[in-house]
Amino acid sequence: MKKSHLAVVTLAAAVALAGFQTGKAQAAVKVETVDYKQGDTTLEGWLAYDDAKQGKRPGVVVFPSYVGPADHDKDVAQKLAKMGYVAFVADVYGKGIRPKAGPEAGAESGKYMKNRPLLLERAQAAFDQLRNNPMVNTKKLAAIGYCFGGAGALDLARNGAPLVDVVTFHGALPTPTPENAKNIKGHVLALHGADDPVVNQQAVANFEKEMTDAHVDWQVVLYANTVHSFTDRSAGTDNSKGAAYNALSDKRSWQAMVDLFKTTL
């Protein structure tokens, strides 16, 4: 009877401990909605972090695609938080402005591609929001951008922001001021579809020249049989449309970013 009772108690304790650990793991990553300002414009982003971690840690600002902050970006921020970073999802458009994919989002993002100073101001506002967070190690900062978001991340670096790393996924690489690349302080990694018709081979070649002329530590990785939006599951899988999800390129590009962060952050 004593052995049986002990076994029951031990089993109960083990179950309770497992339940506690599981609950703790589930509760560790927090995502908070954050209102912040650029001038008179109210912006709404997301802050993700692991509340089980102590002390300062590297920070990563995430610039979304042309639809603005979406579930994909929140997922990215949560994954980064699980890796030990503080992640902040930027809002370039403004609170409540969330265009639908297609012509509506194209028109909204076009406003900022035609007004790069305003894009930079919005990017800077998000960067400052992350940098000023007391959890963040301000000597270990990075920016990543998807599609349209690549322009925000790169323009921030071109303006001299103290970024250790800049990573773009099928990013908008062109700039009207390539001479500003001389201000880039950190590593630049562009992860791109080899068959991307939106940011095409000529745009990639121009970007490579821009980075080389400015003596930036850069790398461009091209993924075969891959077009634009290859990290976007909602883009379908038909490459003939010019934008399509590619599971293998999505996985490989994420790992490339992780590997860079491990060596630099």
Side-chain angles (χ1 to χ4, degrees):
M1 289 292 292
K2 289 182 179 180
K3 288 184 178 179
S4 176
H5 178 68
L6 178 61
V8 171
V9 171
T10 303
L11 177 61
V15 170
L17 178 60
F20 171 77
Q21 290 176 333
T22 301
K24 184 177 180 182
Q26 291 175 341
V29 172
K30 300 288 187 182
V31 179
E32 301 174 355
T33 300
V34 178
D35 283 0
Y36 63 110
K37 290 268 195 177
Q38 182 275 307
D40 295 329
T41 302
T42 299
L43 309 165
E44 184 181 71
W46 289 309
L47 180 73
Y49 60 95
D50 184 345
D51 70 349
K53 293 185 72 68
Q54 300 295 321
K56 294 183 180 294
R57 64 210 83 164
V60 183
V61 58
V62 180
F63 290 96
S65 73
Y66 75 154
V67 297
D71 289 343
H72 169 267
D73 308 293
K74 185 178 287 187
D75 290 343
V76 166
Q78 289 176 309
K79 287 168 70 175
L80 289 168
K82 288 177 183 178
M83 291 164 57
Y85 306 116
V86 177
F88 185 71
V89 177
D91 176 16
V92 169
Y93 296 155
K95 185 173 182 176
I97 301 176
R98 301 293 181 263
K100 295 180 181 179
E104 185 179 334
E108 190 64 32
S109 62
K111 296 176 184 177
Y112 296 87
M113 293 302 288
K114 294 174 183 176
N115 188 348
R116 298 299 276 263
L118 178 57
L119 174 59
L120 176 59
E121 289 177 4
R122 296 289 168 87
Q124 185 68 50
F127 177 72
D128 291 342
Q129 189 67 32
L130 174 73
R131 178 169 53 175
N132 294 334
N133 188 290
M135 292 184 290
V136 173
N137 180 345
T138 57
K139 293 183 180 180
K140 293 186 176 182
L141 298 167
I144 68 175
Y146 292 83
C147 185
F148 163 68
L154 286 168
D155 280 5
L156 192 61
R158 291 174 178 126
N159 194 52
L163 293 164
V164 175
D165 297 313
V166 179
V167 182
T168 66
F169 298 81
H170 45 88
L173 305 177
T175 174
T177 54
E179 65 276 9
N180 289 345
K182 67 181 183 296
N183 299 318
I184 295 176
K185 294 178 168 57
H187 316 282
V188 174
L189 174 62
L191 306 166
H192 215 72
D195 301 326
D196 189 334
V198 179
V199 184
N200 60 25
Q201 292 180 2
Q202 185 59 58
V204 173
N206 292 343
F207 176 74
E208 292 175 348
K209 184 178 186 303
E210 174 197 356
M211 295 294 108
T212 299
D213 289 349
H215 305 290
V216 174
D217 179 11
W218 66 272
Q219 184 179 11
V220 171
V221 180
L222 299 177
Y223 298 102
N225 307 310
T226 303
V227 292
H228 199 64
S229 301
F230 62 82
T231 65
D232 183 359
R233 293 178 183 272
S234 69
T237 56
D238 184 356
N239 278 11
S240 68
K241 294 183 178 180
Y245 179 67
N246 185 304
L248 183 58
S249 296
D250 184 16
K251 181 180 179 180
R252 285 174 169 173
S253 61
W254 180 264
Q255 189 60 51
M257 179 202 72
V258 169
D259 291 344
L260 175 63
F261 283 1
K262 282 182 178 179
T263 59
T264 57
L265 296 180

